[in-house]
Amino acid sequence: MRMITTALVLVSVTAACMAQKRIDPAARKDIEASARKDIEAGNQAWVDGMKAGSMAGVVATYEDDAVDCSPAGECVTGRDAIAQFMNERIAKLGKATSALVTSAGSVQQGDFVYEWGRARAEFSRHRSVAGRYLTAWRRQPDGSWKIFRNISIPADRAR
């Protein structure tokens, strides 16, 4: 039940964030510099981890009690469980031939930054990991920013 509630809250936040005007990266003056730096480093860690076939750098961007949810709403709680999930997935896929994270926008509210965008990694044999995401980053006691909640957004429904 807790996973479903978390997923519903994140979907609600996603809808609110997506409804806002798209933010030009150059106009992100409302996001603290330290947050922007850590978010960009976290996104780069995902790209580097996919290309290297190693998730250690990606997992380091998560809080100890973080929650990571799939597009289907299946959630993994805790950095160790997230590490296990990511390592199992990368073991099946291998190293990515290319990877990219494109942040579409972000907004800060106190000690949280909500960031959304798209991520894609291409692997051999025409396999890929791709989709939209919403990530809630939280300021840590030392001033750094880590992932508090991450949700992969399902693809648009066919009309």
Side-chain angles (χ1 to χ4, degrees):
M1 183 67 170
R2 190 171 127 193
M3 289 189 297
I4 292 171
T5 301
T6 300
L8 289 174
V9 167
L10 287 172
V11 167
S12 297
V13 170
T14 300
C17 290
M18 296 290 187
Q20 293 184 14
K21 184 174 120 183
R22 186 175 171 144
I23 299 171
D24 180 340
R28 293 184 182 168
K29 295 180 176 137
D30 61 329
I31 306 299
E32 289 181 25
S34 64
R36 177 62 33 221
K37 179 181 75 70
D38 288 350
I39 291 168
E40 288 174 0
N43 289 344
Q44 188 61 49
W46 187 86
V47 168
D48 295 344
M50 288 295 185
K51 289 180 178 180
S54 172
M55 296 288 95
V58 179
V59 172
T61 65
Y62 284 81
E63 289 187 355
D64 288 338
D65 61 348
V67 176
D68 192 275
C69 299
S70 74
E74 298 159 338
C75 299
V76 181
T77 302
R79 188 183 310 164
D80 291 340
I82 293 167
Q84 181 179 352
F85 169 77
M86 288 184 176
N87 287 327
E88 288 172 359
R89 181 169 72 171
I90 203 74
K92 291 177 188 172
L93 295 170
K95 295 178 183 179
T97 56
S98 67
L100 176 67
V101 175
T102 305
S103 179
S106 57
V107 63
Q108 183 172 352
Q109 293 182 338
D111 287 338
F112 291 90
V113 171
Y114 305 96
E115 180 217 7
W116 59 94
R118 293 185 176 272
R120 181 172 195 84
E122 299 287 336
F123 299 88
S124 64
R125 295 189 292 268
H126 305 289
R127 296 175 298 170
S128 67
V129 172
R132 295 175 293 175
Y133 67 88
L134 170 69
T135 303
W137 295 79
R138 180 163 57 181
R139 185 190 332 259
Q140 303 300 295
D142 67 0
S144 66
W145 294 80
K146 298 228 181 238
I147 296 172
F148 170 69
R149 301 289 186 262
N150 184 65
I151 184 169
S152 297
I153 309 297
D156 291 332
R157 293 182 185 148
R159 294 182 182 203

